[in-house]
Amino acid sequence: MGVRSPNNLGFFCGKITSTISFVRTYAVGFVHFGRQIVTSHARMTEIPINSGKTAIVTGGARGIGIEIVKQLLQADMRVIIACRSVSSGEKAIKQIRVEGVKSGVAECIPLELASLDSVRKFVDAFLSLGIPLNILINNAGILAPPYKLTLDGLESQFQINYFSHFLLTVLLTPALVRGGHQGDGLSRIVNISSIMSEIGDVNFEDLLMSKFYDRNAAYSNTKLMQIVSSCHLNRQFVAKNLPVRAYSVHPGVVKTELAIYSPVYFMMKLVLWLFAKTPSQAVDTVVYTALSDELIDCGGTFISNCKIIRPNWKAEDIEIQDKLWELSCKLCKLGRNEKAINTLTVDPFVVNAGRIN
């Protein structure tokens, strides 16, 4: 259900604030786009084989998500595509197979990120499979759509980009812990963020921008919140000696329809077509982060073009990390046991019948 965008600044002040935000966003974006154009593209020389391991990719039916699934299948993994439409996911799998990728196993489980209830149902469906989880790639997202509230009462961009992925990650942490214990390496969480997190903010006085909403600022804020969450989770994993690591990735400026809501999208299309990374190139850093042995001891980092870069300073602020964690748990209605990532109170691989896989 949609509602009018909140604006307590007044019409003219709101327009001025939005214009400044728009100019700032695209100025920063084009600076980094220019750097991308003149920088050599980096990638792994060979995708390592990870037979027997399982990955979940949100938004794996379109955009760069398809390419992530494709490369993970080339690594001979079992890949769960989490997407709104199972038919779209199955169509993506057929496309990958037609392109010649025969290795790995792919399947779809429905997930609507605009619904916290759907997130919980997805987790239940995955856990019922009775298999460990080795890699979780939180890829799905939207960029600067019109203001809209979900049925959970959260603004859609904040929920889809951050809160639903936060809930998904926390609920799947026991499965990731099991995957790390059973595998020959650490399980990994990869959050697809953006270089626009550089100008993001975490305003605890108005986290969801309910006083004044600016779609461009909201995108940058959600991308920063992803990195803050990754840093916090990784700090907890290390402190509690759990076999999981969390990372954030900037895939680059990519030839996709992510920016379709932008008022200048049709002018951008030609520039993107000429100079932006292809989806295949964009996921090279994602897959590098998910599979490379070079990053085993580098959890909590922000990675771009297969290199660790410094994130927005707020991402490394422990006080901000802790406050965002507590508020996120509250808004996602996590119970005490669910958010205690150091205590596996319920073994996720105990099936209803009592059989342990």
Side-chain angles (χ1 to χ4, degrees), residues 6-24:
N7 177 9
N8 67 346
L9 299 179
F11 178 79
F12 290 107
C13 287
K15 286 293 184 181
I16 292 171
T17 301
S18 293
T19 300
I20 292 173
S21 175
F22 176 85
V23 172
R24 185 184 184 211

Side-chain angles (χ1 to χ4, degrees), residues 90-216:
E90 292 173 344
K91 182 179 178 180
I93 295 171
K94 289 180 181 178
Q95 176 184 326
I96 292 170
R97 296 308 189 193
V98 168
E99 291 174 1
V101 179
K102 304 301 181 184
S103 55
V105 176
E107 56 196 285
C108 303
I109 298 178
L111 171 64
E112 171 54 76
L113 290 169
S115 165
L116 296 178
D117 182 60
S118 177
V119 173
R120 289 183 175 276
K121 287 179 179 178
F122 173 88
V123 172
D124 289 343
F126 174 77
L127 296 181
S128 71
L129 298 176
I131 58 177
L133 178 61
N134 304 98
I135 296 171
L136 170 62
I137 299 181
N138 293 320
N139 160 72
I142 52 177
L143 189 159
Y147 185 83
K148 182 180 181 181
L149 292 179
T150 68
L151 292 176
D152 297 298
L154 301 173
E155 192 280 321
S156 63
Q157 189 167 199
F158 279 94
Q159 178 160 345
I160 292 170
N161 288 355
Y162 173 67
F163 285 106
S164 285
H165 279 125
F166 171 86
L167 178 62
L168 179 70
T169 300
V170 174
L171 295 181
L172 286 174
T173 291
L176 286 159
V177 170
R178 175 60 70 90
H181 279 313
Q182 291 188 348
D184 55 0
L186 302 171
S187 295
R188 304 190 196 191
I189 300 162
V190 181
N191 284 315
I192 310 301
S193 182
S194 168
I195 202 66
M196 298 313 299
S197 60
E198 184 178 287
I199 57 173
D201 191 18
V202 185
N203 179 10
F204 292 107
E205 299 300 318
D206 188 20
L207 189 67
L208 298 177
M209 304 184 78
S210 58
K211 296 177 181 178
F212 178 78
Y213 181 79
D214 178 84
R215 61 172 72 183
N216 293 301

Side-chain angles (χ1 to χ4, degrees), residues 101-352:
V101 179
K102 304 301 181 184
S103 55
V105 176
E107 56 196 285
C108 303
I109 298 178
L111 171 64
E112 171 54 76
L113 290 169
S115 165
L116 296 178
D117 182 60
S118 177
V119 173
R120 289 183 175 276
K121 287 179 179 178
F122 173 88
V123 172
D124 289 343
F126 174 77
L127 296 181
S128 71
L129 298 176
I131 58 177
L133 178 61
N134 304 98
I135 296 171
L136 170 62
I137 299 181
N138 293 320
N139 160 72
I142 52 177
L143 189 159
Y147 185 83
K148 182 180 181 181
L149 292 179
T150 68
L151 292 176
D152 297 298
L154 301 173
E155 192 280 321
S156 63
Q157 189 167 199
F158 279 94
Q159 178 160 345
I160 292 170
N161 288 355
Y162 173 67
F163 285 106
S164 285
H165 279 125
F166 171 86
L167 178 62
L168 179 70
T169 300
V170 174
L171 295 181
L172 286 174
T173 291
L176 286 159
V177 170
R178 175 60 70 90
H181 279 313
Q182 291 188 348
D184 55 0
L186 302 171
S187 295
R188 304 190 196 191
I189 300 162
V190 181
N191 284 315
I192 310 301
S193 182
S194 168
I195 202 66
M196 298 313 299
S197 60
E198 184 178 287
I199 57 173
D201 191 18
V202 185
N203 179 10
F204 292 107
E205 299 300 318
D206 188 20
L207 189 67
L208 298 177
M209 304 184 78
S210 58
K211 296 177 181 178
F212 178 78
Y213 181 79
D214 178 84
R215 61 172 72 183
N216 293 301
Y219 178 77
S220 298
N221 292 355
T222 61
K223 293 295 143 178
L224 172 59
M225 289 160 67
Q226 285 182 309
I227 304 176
V228 173
S229 180
S230 293
C231 291
H232 180 274
L233 277 171
N234 196 79
R235 181 164 58 88
Q236 296 302 310
F237 293 146
V238 172
K240 302 177 191 309
N241 197 30
L242 296 175
V244 187
R245 295 295 179 265
Y247 309 82
S248 302
V249 169
H250 168 56
V253 180
V254 193
K255 299 175 184 178
T256 69
E257 295 184 350
L258 179 64
I260 194 169
Y261 292 112
S262 169
V264 295
Y265 175 66
F266 291 102
M267 292 189 294
M268 292 169 55
K269 285 185 71 174
L270 178 60
V271 177
L272 291 174
W273 183 79
L274 289 173
F275 301 110
K277 289 186 177 183
T278 65
S280 179
Q281 290 174 322
V283 304
D284 286 337
T285 295
V286 178
V287 175
Y288 167 77
T289 304
L291 300 181
S292 175
D293 290 337
E294 296 175 4
L295 296 176
I296 286 180
D297 297 321
C298 300
T301 52
F302 185 36
I303 301 166
S304 175
N305 200 33
C306 296
K307 293 181 181 179
I308 296 174
I309 63 173
R310 192 71 184 269
N312 184 321
W313 68 268
K314 298 179 183 72
E316 299 175 324
D317 187 297
I318 293 177
E319 183 178 354
I320 291 176
Q321 292 176 18
D322 291 343
K323 288 182 69 175
L324 182 61
W325 167 266
E326 291 299 330
L327 189 51
S328 299
C329 288
K330 180 179 179 180
L331 290 173
C332 291
K333 300 178 182 178
L334 276 164
R336 181 179 299 177
N337 289 336
E338 290 177 323
K339 70 178 185 177
I341 63 173
N342 61 317
T343 306
L344 302 185
T345 55
V346 179
D347 189 330
F349 299 98
V350 176
V351 183
N352 292 334

